[in-house]
Amino acid sequence: MLKTYNAKYVRFEDHIEVIRYGELKTHSSGEGHENKRVTSRITEQERKQQLTEQAFRIKRKVKYYLQANQFTLFWTLTFNDQKVNAKNYVYSRKRLQAWLKYQREKFGKFAYLFIPELHPESGRIHFHGVTGGLDPPLTAARYPKSGRRIVKNGVQIFNSDNWQNGFSTVSAIQDKNKAASYIAKYVTKELMLLPTAYHQPRYFVSRGLKQPTVSYRKISEEDLAMFKPKFVVGHVASDKKHFESDISIYRIDISADGELLQNAPVETAWKLRNSERGTNMDADK
């Protein structure tokens, strides 16, 4: 059954993300899958646009996972060329999954999410990820020449003793919202175009991760009048004098008493729809 709406509510434990559209849309249970089929009947430009939109949907999915779950460690795992063919996506992700399985067998069940990154110049794959409930042996990273500990933004960097496929860096997560934005940026359409990554999963998550509650509603402007959007995508009106909103995104905090408010001052970021970011935002339906 189709439902008409102009707002998407994504509810987490401590906040709600509201995506308000400038026009009515329809929703059914069959919509919203990350993997849209790309057929040979479309043009190359259309295919690239579909992959760009797919990448954005995955980014938002990844952000939702990180915001809804308690992850404690941030990982970057690279491959040694003498041990792993890092230019082959399938082979690289199998090595990652084998390592994750080994960690689970050795330390017990834990939560994880990993994203592959394609190096634009070398074409090599490496992985960024987060874990929760995993406490493996770690060694403080040090500069080779001075022997001093490596500390970035006041956070100690570690190396994982259990990663034998190449080089690793591990650090404690300080802000899960920043971590969510940081890791999601590695989902790109360039990775989608990699031949060995065709029809392959674009991210890897453990079973049982929490997900936010999503609902679709029809609301008026007055319903959000007391809140300020953090991001607005729009276009210039036909009179060339006014900016009309196509999509507005709000973050609304939930107090311990269930009150809806915005705890911190909000600076709205504005974007024209004809920019790449604006087009991508329209893909989130």
Side-chain angles (χ1 to χ4, degrees), residues 140-196:
R142 298 178 181 273
Y143 292 103
K145 292 185 178 180
S146 66
R148 293 172 51 242
R149 290 194 173 198
I150 300 176
V151 178
K152 295 185 178 180
N153 298 320
V155 178
Q156 173 66 53
I157 305 300
F158 294 89
N159 301 129
S160 172
D161 300 339
N162 286 340
W163 178 253
Q164 302 295 320
N165 296 291
F167 186 71
S168 66
T169 60
V170 189
S171 60
I173 294 175
Q174 307 297 309
D175 185 319
K176 67 179 181 181
N177 291 319
K178 289 182 179 179
S181 297
Y182 184 80
I183 196 170
K185 75 178 183 179
Y186 292 111
V187 181
T188 64
K189 67 176 183 296
E190 285 74 24
L191 179 64
M192 310 291 186
L193 290 169
L194 187 67
T196 57

Side-chain angles (χ1 to χ4, degrees), residues 1-3 26-33 216:
M1 182 177 179
L2 294 177
K3 180 179 180 180
T26 56
H27 167 76
S28 69
S29 59
E31 295 179 337
H33 298 291
Y216 299 86

Side-chain angles (χ1 to χ4, degrees), residues 61-187:
K61 185 80 169 181
V62 166
K63 284 186 177 182
Y64 286 169
Y65 273 129
L66 266 77
Q67 291 174 341
N69 295 273
Q70 296 301 318
F71 295 107
T72 56
L73 295 177
F74 186 94
W75 299 71
T76 296
L77 303 174
T78 66
F79 293 105
N80 183 334
D81 286 332
Q82 296 180 349
K83 296 181 178 181
V84 180
N85 179 9
K87 292 185 178 182
N88 186 297
Y89 182 82
V90 175
Y91 185 67
S92 298
R93 64 96 170 162
K94 285 183 177 180
R95 293 297 290 265
L96 171 74
Q97 290 174 310
W99 178 80
L100 290 169
K101 181 180 179 181
Y102 172 73
Q103 301 307 299
R104 185 170 62 250
E105 292 173 348
K106 187 172 184 178
F107 299 106
K109 185 179 179 181
F110 64 95
Y112 66 80
L113 183 151
F114 276 84
I115 293 287
E117 180 189 3
L118 175 66
H119 192 280
E121 296 178 0
S122 69
R124 299 174 71 251
I125 296 289
H126 60 273
F127 290 90
H128 301 278
V130 292
T131 59
L134 176 64
D135 189 22
L138 300 174
T139 301
R142 298 178 181 273
Y143 292 103
K145 292 185 178 180
S146 66
R148 293 172 51 242
R149 290 194 173 198
I150 300 176
V151 178
K152 295 185 178 180
N153 298 320
V155 178
Q156 173 66 53
I157 305 300
F158 294 89
N159 301 129
S160 172
D161 300 339
N162 286 340
W163 178 253
Q164 302 295 320
N165 296 291
F167 186 71
S168 66
T169 60
V170 189
S171 60
I173 294 175
Q174 307 297 309
D175 185 319
K176 67 179 181 181
N177 291 319
K178 289 182 179 179
S181 297
Y182 184 80
I183 196 170
K185 75 178 183 179
Y186 292 111
V187 181

Side-chain angles (χ1 to χ4, degrees), residues 195-211:
T196 57
Y198 192 62
H199 285 321
Q200 294 292 319
R202 315 298 186 182
Y203 61 96
F204 308 90
V205 296
S206 54
R207 294 181 180 179
L209 290 186
K210 295 180 182 178
Q211 296 188 56

